[in-house]
Amino acid sequence: MNSPCDAMKTLTRTISMAAALLAATATAQARVDLPPHEDRSVYDLADVITTEHEQSMERSHRELLGKTGVAIAVVTLPRLEGEALEEVLGRAGPGWGLGQEPGDRGIVVALAMEEHRVLIATGHGVEDFLPDERVRMIIRRYIIPRLQRNEVSFPRAMPGRPRRPPGRQPWLQLFRV
C-alpha cells in the first residue's frame, strides 16, 4: 500500500514532468509572426528590399497575373524562429490565398536571412513550365550568386548599397524544392 508521502512524491513528479513537457512544446512551437494578407505580392518582413524595387515587383507581378493567371509572391523573413521555411510558407499560403487561384498557378520565392535559406515553391499549375530541376537551376545560377554578393534587393541590385548586415556568412547553397 502506498503511503501519503509516496503519493505526494508521485504527484510532484507527474506535475514536474507535465510542466517540462508544456515548456518543451511551447519552445518547439515558436513560430514566425506573419502579417495578415493584404492586396500585395511582396512581403518584405526582413526589410531588405528597397521601396523602388518592391514597387517594381508589385507592378510586374500584377501584370503577369493579368496576362497569364500566374500569381507570384516574394517573402523575406529576418529569421525562422526554429520553424522550417516550408512550414512558414505552408501557413502563409492558405492565409494569404497563395496557390488558391484556379489551377494552382502560384509561385512563392522565400528568403530566410539569418539562416541563409532560399525556397521557391511552385503550384501544380506551373510545374509544366517550371519543373523542380529548373527551380534548382534558377536558385543556383541566379539567386545564390546575387545573395553571396549582398545583392538582396530584387529585381535589380543597387551597386554599393548592400542591404544585408555586414559580417554575415556567405549564403549556403541550401535550397529545397
Side-chain angles (χ1 to χ4, degrees):
M1 191 164 179
N2 289 341
S3 69
C5 188
D6 289 337
M8 185 58 94
K9 286 180 184 176
T10 301
L11 180 61
T12 302
R13 270 190 239 125
T14 303
I15 291 172
S16 295
M17 287 176 60
L21 276 171
L22 224 82
T25 302
T27 302
Q29 293 198 5
R31 292 166 41 129
V32 173
D33 281 334
L34 295 172
H37 173 66
E38 297 174 13
D39 189 27
R40 61 185 176 140
S41 64
V42 179
Y43 293 85
D44 183 22
L45 307 179
D47 194 31
V48 294
I49 300 174
T50 66
T51 303
E52 175 188 352
H53 293 161
E54 187 171 330
Q55 291 169 350
S56 174
M57 283 189 278
E58 291 286 351
R59 282 190 301 275
S60 297
H61 297 169
R62 275 192 303 276
E63 185 177 317
L64 183 69
L65 180 62
K67 288 181 178 179
T68 67
V70 174
I72 295 181
V74 175
V75 182
T76 67
L77 303 164
R79 69 194 59 74
L80 291 172
E81 305 295 345
E83 196 171 6
L85 191 52
E86 295 85 352
E87 291 170 6
V88 175
L89 292 184
R91 288 188 300 111
W96 292 345
L98 302 174
Q100 303 297 315
E101 301 297 321
D104 193 17
R105 295 175 56 84
I107 301 167
V108 180
V109 179
L111 304 173
M113 304 310 293
E114 187 172 294
E115 293 83 359
H116 296 176
R117 297 293 188 263
V118 177
L119 174 68
I120 298 177
T122 58
H124 295 295
V126 298
E127 289 177 349
D128 285 344
F129 60 87
L130 195 57
D132 291 348
E133 187 53 42
R134 181 171 280 170
V135 168
R136 284 190 287 273
M137 183 273 303
I138 290 168
I139 291 172
R140 279 192 311 268
R141 191 176 294 171
Y142 300 104
I143 296 176
I144 297 293
R146 292 185 111 184
L147 294 173
Q148 288 174 330
R149 292 188 311 262
N150 291 331
E151 295 174 358
V152 178
S153 189
F154 293 94
R156 292 179 196 98
M158 302 282 282
R161 289 187 51 193
R163 302 280 293 171
R164 189 170 49 142
R168 292 282 178 181
Q169 297 298 314
W171 280 79
L172 303 175
Q173 291 197 21
L174 296 177
F175 51 86
R176 297 185 176 112
V177 181

